Amino acid sequence: MGRKFCVGGNWKMNGDKASIAELCKTLTTGPLDANTEVVVGCPAPYLTLARAQLPESIGVAAQNAYKVEKGAFTGEISPAMLKDLNIGWVILGHSERRTIFAESDELIADKVVHALAAGLKVIACIGETLQEREAGQTEAVCFRQTKAIADKVKDWSNVVVAYEPVWAIGTGKTATPEQAQEVHAALRKWFKDNVSADVADAIRIQYGGSVTAGNCKELAAKPDIDGFLVGGASLKPEFIQIVNARQ
């Protein structure tokens, strides 16, 4: 095994200077499990504020970035800009980017490969909608989204995959630990069959979808769940318990 547990907190479009300072204080105080890698996805205007107020042991991620270094792309931010601000991570392909902003598999793959080339670490999100799950398409959708990235990425060492069933995000519904493990195991097998056994063994696959202090320990106990990408709960003190799910 040897995969380091990795918990991401996605703050989404939430927060102001005061509340983010409070969140940073909570995270700094912890205590956080030293065996867990922690990354927080901060709204773009507050990235430098969060980076300045958090210890270096906690990563800070942008929630999006474009596929090129610079140019006439009003409103976008580039990996080069993030690097310039000492931001080490970016979350790409989140279901909200795919559904609300109509980002295609190909665009997300382009973003991932460019972010990696620029020296960022990437949390790459995949997952199916409720309609797709009910149609028995869970694996087909997840494999399609993963393949788009795998067609362009050669070095996976700075990629964390986040499996987020869209029907379980912000709904209070959670995939059971068994449902989540089943998809994670299928994804790991896909990597073994389509990329390499070494990548399959090493790649960290997070679960994202209504993770709470109440269900995190049972999910964390599953062999192919290597962490979480947490939404709403990452804005609350219970995030500390989620980070420490393996203790």
Side-chain angles (χ1 to χ4, degrees):
M1 293 288 285
R3 296 186 297 269
K4 187 169 186 175
F5 205 65
C6 181
V7 176
N10 180 12
W11 298 347
K12 305 192 180 182
M13 197 176 72
N14 293 296
D16 52 29
K17 284 196 289 188
S19 63
I20 284 172
E22 193 61 35
L23 268 173
C24 291
K25 185 179 175 183
T26 299
L27 286 167
T28 302
T29 304
L32 304 179
D33 183 354
N35 294 315
T36 295
E37 186 168 14
V38 181
V39 182
V40 291
C42 180
Y46 302 113
L47 282 166
T48 52
L49 177 70
R51 182 63 284 164
Q53 296 194 17
L54 288 169
E56 284 296 322
S57 57
I58 297 176
V60 176
Q63 297 173 13
N64 186 35
Y66 199 48
K67 64 179 182 178
V68 294
E69 183 179 4
K70 59 184 177 181
F73 305 103
T74 302
E76 289 293 332
I77 56 176
S78 73
M81 293 172 178
L82 297 174
K83 286 287 288 182
D84 193 40
L85 297 176
N86 194 31
I87 303 303
W89 288 79
V90 63
I91 300 169
L92 295 172
H94 192 279
S95 63
E96 290 157 4
R97 300 301 312 177
R98 293 178 185 270
T99 55
I100 300 170
F101 301 101
E103 293 190 3
S104 67
D105 293 349
E106 184 177 13
L107 174 59
I108 290 159
D110 286 341
K111 287 183 170 190
V112 170
V113 76
H114 178 66
L116 292 170
L120 293 180
K121 296 179 180 179
V122 173
I123 296 175
C125 304
I126 60 167
E128 83 284 6
T129 64
L130 181 60
Q131 187 177 10
E132 289 164 340
R133 173 168 276 268
E134 289 178 342
Q137 294 296 303
T138 295
E139 289 188 7
V141 170
C142 290
F143 295 167
R144 186 198 78 223
Q145 292 171 345
T146 305
K147 183 180 185 300
I149 298 169
D151 284 345
K152 297 183 179 181
V153 169
K154 301 304 174 220
D155 182 355
W156 289 86
S157 57
N158 287 324
V159 180
V160 173
V161 173
Y163 166 60
E164 39 161 34
V166 181
W167 49 273
I169 297 173
T171 60
K173 295 179 181 178
T174 312
T176 65
E178 291 70 30
Q179 285 175 318
Q181 165 60 20
E182 184 180 1
V183 178
H184 281 237
L187 280 166
R188 203 170 301 285
K189 184 179 186 302
W190 187 92
F191 273 103
K192 184 178 180 182
D193 294 344
N194 295 276
V195 182
S196 76
D198 287 346
V199 170
D201 287 341
I203 191 88
R204 292 180 292 177
I205 307 174
Q206 296 173 320
Y207 171 73
S210 299
V211 178
T212 67
N215 61 26
C216 64
K217 282 191 178 293
E218 197 177 355
L219 285 161
K222 295 298 181 184
D224 290 295
I225 296 179
D226 305 312
F228 305 117
L229 184 59
V230 184
S234 69
L235 297 163
K236 303 171 185 174
E238 71 174 301
F239 185 60
I240 302 295
Q241 294 170 259
I242 298 171
V243 168
N244 297 336
R246 282 242 173 122
Q247 281 188 331

